mmCIF file of all heavy atoms in Angstrom:
data_model
loop_
_atom_site.group_PDB
_atom_site.id
_atom_site.type_symbol
_atom_site.label_atom_id
_atom_site.label_comp_id
_atom_site.label_asym_id
_atom_site.label_seq_id
_atom_site.Cartn_x
_atom_site.Cartn_y
_atom_site.Cartn_z
ATOM 1 N N ILE A 4 -24.320 -23.986 -2.225
ATOM 2 C CA ILE A 4 -23.271 -24.765 -1.566
ATOM 3 C C ILE A 4 -22.489 -25.635 -2.514
ATOM 4 O O ILE A 4 -21.458 -26.174 -2.161
ATOM 5 C CB ILE A 4 -23.873 -25.709 -0.513
ATOM 6 C CG1 ILE A 4 -24.850 -26.652 -1.205
ATOM 7 C CG2 ILE A 4 -24.536 -24.940 0.590
ATOM 8 C CD1 ILE A 4 -25.230 -27.794 -0.356
ATOM 9 N N ASP A 21 -13.292 -26.931 4.489
ATOM 10 C CA ASP A 21 -14.722 -26.730 4.686
ATOM 11 C C ASP A 21 -15.570 -27.745 3.917
ATOM 12 O O ASP A 21 -16.637 -28.138 4.377
ATOM 13 C CB ASP A 21 -15.101 -25.307 4.260
ATOM 14 C CG ASP A 21 -16.456 -24.923 4.815
ATOM 15 O OD1 ASP A 21 -16.558 -24.782 6.049
ATOM 16 O OD2 ASP A 21 -17.411 -24.798 4.018
ATOM 17 N N GLU A 22 -15.083 -28.167 2.767
ATOM 18 C CA GLU A 22 -15.860 -29.134 1.985
ATOM 19 C C GLU A 22 -15.835 -30.508 2.626
ATOM 20 O O GLU A 22 -16.801 -31.267 2.522
ATOM 21 C CB GLU A 22 -15.332 -29.201 0.556
ATOM 22 C CG GLU A 22 -15.482 -27.862 -0.164
ATOM 23 C CD GLU A 22 -15.290 -27.991 -1.655
ATOM 24 O OE1 GLU A 22 -14.466 -28.813 -2.072
ATOM 25 O OE2 GLU A 22 -15.977 -27.269 -2.385
ATOM 26 N N ARG A 24 -15.471 -30.944 5.944
ATOM 27 C CA ARG A 24 -16.303 -30.836 7.151
ATOM 28 C C ARG A 24 -17.794 -30.871 6.787
ATOM 29 O O ARG A 24 -18.605 -31.437 7.500
ATOM 30 C CB ARG A 24 -15.962 -29.570 7.942
ATOM 31 C CG ARG A 24 -14.576 -29.617 8.594
ATOM 32 C CD ARG A 24 -14.506 -28.788 9.867
ATOM 33 N NE ARG A 24 -13.178 -28.784 10.457
ATOM 34 C CZ ARG A 24 -12.786 -29.625 11.425
ATOM 35 N NH1 ARG A 24 -13.619 -30.529 11.907
ATOM 36 N NH2 ARG A 24 -11.562 -29.534 11.907
ATOM 37 N N ARG A 25 -18.111 -30.256 5.682
ATOM 38 C CA ARG A 25 -19.493 -30.276 5.244
ATOM 39 C C ARG A 25 -19.972 -31.710 5.008
ATOM 40 O O ARG A 25 -21.068 -32.081 5.413
ATOM 41 C CB ARG A 25 -19.614 -29.472 3.949
ATOM 42 C CG ARG A 25 -20.975 -29.433 3.377
ATOM 43 C CD ARG A 25 -21.315 -28.035 2.904
ATOM 44 N NE ARG A 25 -22.750 -27.923 2.758
ATOM 45 C CZ ARG A 25 -23.582 -27.745 3.761
ATOM 46 N NH1 ARG A 25 -23.125 -27.618 4.998
ATOM 47 N NH2 ARG A 25 -24.870 -27.676 3.562
ATOM 48 N N GLU A 28 -20.368 -33.554 8.386
ATOM 49 C CA GLU A 28 -21.565 -33.138 9.122
ATOM 50 C C GLU A 28 -22.847 -33.658 8.477
ATOM 51 O O GLU A 28 -23.737 -34.165 9.169
ATOM 52 C CB GLU A 28 -21.623 -31.611 9.191
ATOM 53 C CG GLU A 28 -20.563 -31.060 10.114
ATOM 54 C CD GLU A 28 -20.031 -29.706 9.682
ATOM 55 O OE1 GLU A 28 -20.727 -28.998 8.925
ATOM 56 O OE2 GLU A 28 -18.909 -29.364 10.101
ATOM 57 N N ARG A 36 -30.415 -38.916 11.664
ATOM 58 C CA ARG A 36 -31.823 -38.555 11.575
ATOM 59 C C ARG A 36 -32.619 -39.628 10.848
ATOM 60 O O ARG A 36 -33.785 -39.880 11.174
ATOM 61 C CB ARG A 36 -31.995 -37.191 10.906
ATOM 62 C CG ARG A 36 -31.375 -36.001 11.638
ATOM 63 C CD ARG A 36 -31.458 -36.060 13.147
ATOM 64 N NE ARG A 36 -31.221 -34.765 13.786
ATOM 65 C CZ ARG A 36 -30.185 -34.480 14.582
ATOM 66 N NH1 ARG A 36 -29.264 -35.392 14.848
ATOM 67 N NH2 ARG A 36 -30.072 -33.286 15.142
ATOM 68 N N TYR A 59 -33.183 -56.178 8.660
ATOM 69 C CA TYR A 59 -32.988 -55.552 7.352
ATOM 70 C C TYR A 59 -32.191 -56.456 6.415
ATOM 71 O O TYR A 59 -32.597 -56.716 5.278
ATOM 72 C CB TYR A 59 -32.270 -54.196 7.489
ATOM 73 C CG TYR A 59 -32.078 -53.540 6.155
ATOM 74 C CD1 TYR A 59 -33.006 -52.632 5.657
ATOM 75 C CD2 TYR A 59 -30.991 -53.871 5.343
ATOM 76 C CE1 TYR A 59 -32.856 -52.062 4.408
ATOM 77 C CE2 TYR A 59 -30.832 -53.316 4.087
ATOM 78 C CZ TYR A 59 -31.766 -52.407 3.626
ATOM 79 O OH TYR A 59 -31.621 -51.861 2.376
ATOM 80 N N ARG A 63 -33.247 -58.427 3.086
ATOM 81 C CA ARG A 63 -32.581 -58.083 1.846
ATOM 82 C C ARG A 63 -32.042 -59.302 1.127
ATOM 83 O O ARG A 63 -32.021 -59.364 -0.092
ATOM 84 C CB ARG A 63 -31.425 -57.126 2.181
ATOM 85 C CG ARG A 63 -30.646 -56.634 0.998
ATOM 86 C CD ARG A 63 -31.486 -55.807 0.083
ATOM 87 N NE ARG A 63 -30.670 -54.868 -0.670
ATOM 88 C CZ ARG A 63 -31.011 -54.406 -1.859
ATOM 89 N NH1 ARG A 63 -32.145 -54.763 -2.414
ATOM 90 N NH2 ARG A 63 -30.244 -53.545 -2.468
ATOM 91 N N GLU A 120 -40.555 -55.863 9.191
ATOM 92 C CA GLU A 120 -39.487 -55.233 8.404
ATOM 93 C C GLU A 120 -40.090 -54.288 7.375
ATOM 94 O O GLU A 120 -39.571 -53.198 7.144
ATOM 95 C CB GLU A 120 -38.628 -56.310 7.727
ATOM 96 C CG GLU A 120 -37.274 -55.798 7.239
ATOM 97 C CD GLU A 120 -37.301 -55.077 5.896
ATOM 98 O OE1 GLU A 120 -38.220 -55.354 5.084
ATOM 99 O OE2 GLU A 120 -36.410 -54.242 5.656
ATOM 100 N N TYR A 135 -34.645 -37.960 -2.208
ATOM 101 C CA TYR A 135 -34.307 -38.232 -3.606
ATOM 102 C C TYR A 135 -35.064 -37.283 -4.535
ATOM 103 O O TYR A 135 -34.507 -36.728 -5.479
ATOM 104 C CB TYR A 135 -34.676 -39.672 -3.973
ATOM 105 C CG TYR A 135 -33.709 -40.755 -3.560
ATOM 106 C CD1 TYR A 135 -32.594 -40.503 -2.761
ATOM 107 C CD2 TYR A 135 -33.916 -42.072 -3.983
ATOM 108 C CE1 TYR A 135 -31.731 -41.536 -2.392
ATOM 109 C CE2 TYR A 135 -33.054 -43.105 -3.627
ATOM 110 C CZ TYR A 135 -31.962 -42.835 -2.826
ATOM 111 O OH TYR A 135 -31.119 -43.852 -2.471
ATOM 112 N N GLU A 151 -20.082 -44.983 -2.187
ATOM 113 C CA GLU A 151 -19.333 -46.173 -2.601
ATOM 114 C C GLU A 151 -17.845 -45.989 -2.354
ATOM 115 O O GLU A 151 -17.146 -46.915 -1.947
ATOM 116 C CB GLU A 151 -19.575 -46.463 -4.085
ATOM 117 C CG GLU A 151 -20.912 -47.121 -4.347
ATOM 118 C CD GLU A 151 -21.326 -47.025 -5.802
ATOM 119 O OE1 GLU A 151 -20.458 -46.786 -6.672
ATOM 120 O OE2 GLU A 151 -22.531 -47.172 -6.073
ATOM 121 N N ASP A 158 -14.480 -54.372 1.491
ATOM 122 C CA ASP A 158 -15.881 -54.627 1.812
ATOM 123 C C ASP A 158 -16.802 -54.420 0.619
ATOM 124 O O ASP A 158 -17.994 -54.732 0.688
ATOM 125 C CB ASP A 158 -16.375 -53.656 2.906
ATOM 126 C CG ASP A 158 -15.758 -53.959 4.256
ATOM 127 O OD1 ASP A 158 -15.147 -55.028 4.402
ATOM 128 O OD2 ASP A 158 -15.902 -53.120 5.164
ATOM 129 N N PHE A 163 -21.998 -54.838 -2.690
ATOM 130 C CA PHE A 163 -22.650 -54.946 -3.996
ATOM 131 C C PHE A 163 -23.447 -56.239 -4.098
ATOM 132 O O PHE A 163 -24.502 -56.284 -4.716
ATOM 133 C CB PHE A 163 -21.617 -54.881 -5.128
ATOM 134 C CG PHE A 163 -20.978 -53.536 -5.276
ATOM 135 C CD1 PHE A 163 -19.664 -53.415 -5.702
ATOM 136 C CD2 PHE A 163 -21.689 -52.363 -4.994
ATOM 137 C CE1 PHE A 163 -19.064 -52.173 -5.850
ATOM 138 C CE2 PHE A 163 -21.093 -51.122 -5.135
ATOM 139 C CZ PHE A 163 -19.778 -51.024 -5.554
ATOM 140 N N MET B 1 -17.897 -54.689 -13.169
ATOM 141 C CA MET B 1 -19.112 -54.384 -12.394
ATOM 142 C C MET B 1 -20.077 -53.568 -13.227
ATOM 143 O O MET B 1 -19.680 -52.687 -13.976
ATOM 144 C CB MET B 1 -18.694 -53.599 -11.166
ATOM 145 C CG MET B 1 -19.824 -53.318 -10.219
ATOM 146 S SD MET B 1 -19.188 -52.415 -8.805
ATOM 147 C CE MET B 1 -18.634 -50.908 -9.610
ATOM 148 N N ILE B 4 -23.731 -49.104 -11.536
ATOM 149 C CA ILE B 4 -24.747 -49.104 -10.491
ATOM 150 C C ILE B 4 -25.548 -47.825 -10.451
ATOM 151 O O ILE B 4 -26.538 -47.731 -9.774
ATOM 152 C CB ILE B 4 -24.116 -49.303 -9.114
ATOM 153 C CG1 ILE B 4 -23.123 -48.170 -8.880
ATOM 154 C CG2 ILE B 4 -23.460 -50.630 -9.011
ATOM 155 C CD1 ILE B 4 -22.704 -48.109 -7.469
ATOM 156 N N ASP B 21 -35.602 -51.080 -4.781
ATOM 157 C CA ASP B 21 -34.176 -51.344 -4.823
ATOM 158 C C ASP B 21 -33.339 -50.072 -4.699
ATOM 159 O O ASP B 21 -32.250 -50.086 -4.127
ATOM 160 C CB ASP B 21 -33.819 -52.076 -6.122
ATOM 161 C CG ASP B 21 -32.455 -52.719 -6.025
ATOM 162 O OD1 ASP B 21 -32.322 -53.659 -5.229
ATOM 163 O OD2 ASP B 21 -31.525 -52.242 -6.710
ATOM 164 N N GLU B 22 -33.845 -48.984 -5.227
ATOM 165 C CA GLU B 22 -33.076 -47.741 -5.146
ATOM 166 C C GLU B 22 -33.080 -47.175 -3.735
ATOM 167 O O GLU B 22 -32.120 -46.539 -3.313
ATOM 168 C CB GLU B 22 -33.634 -46.716 -6.134
ATOM 169 C CG GLU B 22 -33.491 -47.184 -7.568
ATOM 170 C CD GLU B 22 -33.698 -46.067 -8.577
ATOM 171 O OE1 GLU B 22 -34.520 -45.173 -8.304
ATOM 172 O OE2 GLU B 22 -33.027 -46.100 -9.618
ATOM 173 N N ARG B 24 -33.346 -49.149 -1.021
ATOM 174 C CA ARG B 24 -32.473 -50.048 -0.248
ATOM 175 C C ARG B 24 -31.004 -49.760 -0.538
ATOM 176 O O ARG B 24 -30.166 -49.819 0.361
ATOM 177 C CB ARG B 24 -32.807 -51.522 -0.541
ATOM 178 C CG ARG B 24 -34.166 -51.954 0.003
ATOM 179 C CD ARG B 24 -34.224 -53.447 0.332
ATOM 180 N NE ARG B 24 -35.525 -53.874 0.811
ATOM 181 C CZ ARG B 24 -35.886 -53.924 2.098
ATOM 182 N NH1 ARG B 24 -35.041 -53.568 3.045
ATOM 183 N NH2 ARG B 24 -37.090 -54.320 2.442
ATOM 184 N N GLU B 28 -28.343 -48.891 2.408
ATOM 185 C CA GLU B 28 -27.125 -49.677 2.620
ATOM 186 C C GLU B 28 -25.869 -48.846 2.474
ATOM 187 O O GLU B 28 -24.946 -48.940 3.294
ATOM 188 C CB GLU B 28 -27.086 -50.839 1.611
ATOM 189 C CG GLU B 28 -28.109 -51.898 1.939
ATOM 190 C CD GLU B 28 -28.683 -52.583 0.714
ATOM 191 O OE1 GLU B 28 -28.023 -52.560 -0.357
ATOM 192 O OE2 GLU B 28 -29.790 -53.143 0.822
ATOM 193 N N ARG B 36 -18.156 -47.138 8.157
ATOM 194 C CA ARG B 36 -16.753 -47.328 7.807
ATOM 195 C C ARG B 36 -15.962 -46.039 7.988
ATOM 196 O O ARG B 36 -14.786 -46.063 8.365
ATOM 197 C CB ARG B 36 -16.604 -47.849 6.376
ATOM 198 C CG ARG B 36 -17.224 -49.221 6.105
ATOM 199 C CD ARG B 36 -17.071 -50.216 7.233
ATOM 200 N NE ARG B 36 -17.296 -51.601 6.817
ATOM 201 C CZ ARG B 36 -18.305 -52.365 7.214
ATOM 202 N NH1 ARG B 36 -19.220 -51.893 8.058
ATOM 203 N NH2 ARG B 36 -18.407 -53.616 6.811
ATOM 204 N N TYR B 59 -15.267 -32.532 17.795
ATOM 205 C CA TYR B 59 -15.498 -32.084 16.419
ATOM 206 C C TYR B 59 -16.310 -30.790 16.388
ATOM 207 O O TYR B 59 -15.930 -29.812 15.733
ATOM 208 C CB TYR B 59 -16.220 -33.169 15.607
ATOM 209 C CG TYR B 59 -16.469 -32.721 14.189
ATOM 210 C CD1 TYR B 59 -15.562 -33.018 13.185
ATOM 211 C CD2 TYR B 59 -17.591 -31.949 13.867
ATOM 212 C CE1 TYR B 59 -15.763 -32.567 11.887
ATOM 213 C CE2 TYR B 59 -17.790 -31.494 12.571
ATOM 214 C CZ TYR B 59 -16.879 -31.804 11.587
ATOM 215 O OH TYR B 59 -17.075 -31.333 10.317
ATOM 216 N N ARG B 63 -15.308 -27.038 15.323
ATOM 217 C CA ARG B 63 -16.017 -26.439 14.202
ATOM 218 C C ARG B 63 -16.571 -25.069 14.542
ATOM 219 O O ARG B 63 -16.636 -24.196 13.696
ATOM 220 C CB ARG B 63 -17.172 -27.374 13.821
ATOM 221 C CG ARG B 63 -18.007 -26.929 12.659
ATOM 222 C CD ARG B 63 -17.215 -26.853 11.409
ATOM 223 N NE ARG B 63 -18.059 -27.027 10.224
ATOM 224 C CZ ARG B 63 -17.759 -26.557 9.035
ATOM 225 N NH1 ARG B 63 -16.641 -25.887 8.852
ATOM 226 N NH2 ARG B 63 -18.561 -26.770 8.015
ATOM 227 N N GLU B 120 -7.899 -33.072 17.777
ATOM 228 C CA GLU B 120 -8.994 -32.984 16.804
ATOM 229 C C GLU B 120 -8.431 -32.954 15.382
ATOM 230 O O GLU B 120 -8.973 -33.588 14.472
ATOM 231 C CB GLU B 120 -9.844 -31.741 17.068
ATOM 232 C CG GLU B 120 -11.222 -31.767 16.403
ATOM 233 C CD GLU B 120 -11.248 -31.380 14.933
ATOM 234 O OE1 GLU B 120 -10.347 -30.623 14.483
ATOM 235 O OE2 GLU B 120 -12.161 -31.832 14.209
ATOM 236 N N TYR B 135 -14.325 -38.227 -2.663
ATOM 237 C CA TYR B 135 -14.705 -37.066 -3.483
ATOM 238 C C TYR B 135 -13.979 -37.104 -4.829
ATOM 239 O O TYR B 135 -14.567 -36.861 -5.878
ATOM 240 C CB TYR B 135 -14.335 -35.762 -2.768
ATOM 241 C CG TYR B 135 -15.290 -35.277 -1.692
ATOM 242 C CD1 TYR B 135 -16.385 -36.025 -1.265
ATOM 243 C CD2 TYR B 135 -15.077 -34.038 -1.087
ATOM 244 C CE1 TYR B 135 -17.228 -35.547 -0.269
ATOM 245 C CE2 TYR B 135 -15.923 -33.548 -0.087
ATOM 246 C CZ TYR B 135 -16.999 -34.310 0.315
ATOM 247 O OH TYR B 135 -17.833 -33.821 1.294
ATOM 248 N N GLU B 151 -28.811 -33.308 2.609
ATOM 249 C CA GLU B 151 -29.559 -32.167 3.156
ATOM 250 C C GLU B 151 -31.039 -32.495 3.258
ATOM 251 O O GLU B 151 -31.703 -32.111 4.211
ATOM 252 C CB GLU B 151 -29.358 -30.927 2.282
ATOM 253 C CG GLU B 151 -28.022 -30.246 2.527
ATOM 254 C CD GLU B 151 -27.639 -29.267 1.422
ATOM 255 O OE1 GLU B 151 -28.541 -28.847 0.665
ATOM 256 O OE2 GLU B 151 -26.454 -28.944 1.303
ATOM 257 N N ASP B 158 -34.188 -29.104 11.889
ATOM 258 C CA ASP B 158 -32.771 -29.119 12.264
ATOM 259 C C ASP B 158 -31.891 -28.439 11.227
ATOM 260 O O ASP B 158 -30.697 -28.246 11.460
ATOM 261 C CB ASP B 158 -32.266 -30.577 12.376
ATOM 262 C CG ASP B 158 -32.844 -31.288 13.577
ATOM 263 O OD1 ASP B 158 -33.419 -30.629 14.448
ATOM 264 O OD2 ASP B 158 -32.693 -32.536 13.642
#
Side-chain angles (χ1 to χ4, degrees):
Chain A
I4 60 166
D21 197 68
E22 297 194 325
R24 291 209 182 265
R25 179 137 198 79
E28 289 147 21
R36 297 323 197 245
Y59 181 93
R63 182 64 154 153
E120 197 279 334
Y135 280 7
E151 282 163 19
D158 290 348
F163 291 148
Chain B
M1 185 179 63
I4 59 167
D21 197 67
E22 297 195 326
R24 291 208 182 268
E28 288 147 22
R36 297 322 197 247
Y59 180 93
R63 181 63 154 155
E120 197 279 334
Y135 280 6
E151 282 164 19
D158 290 347

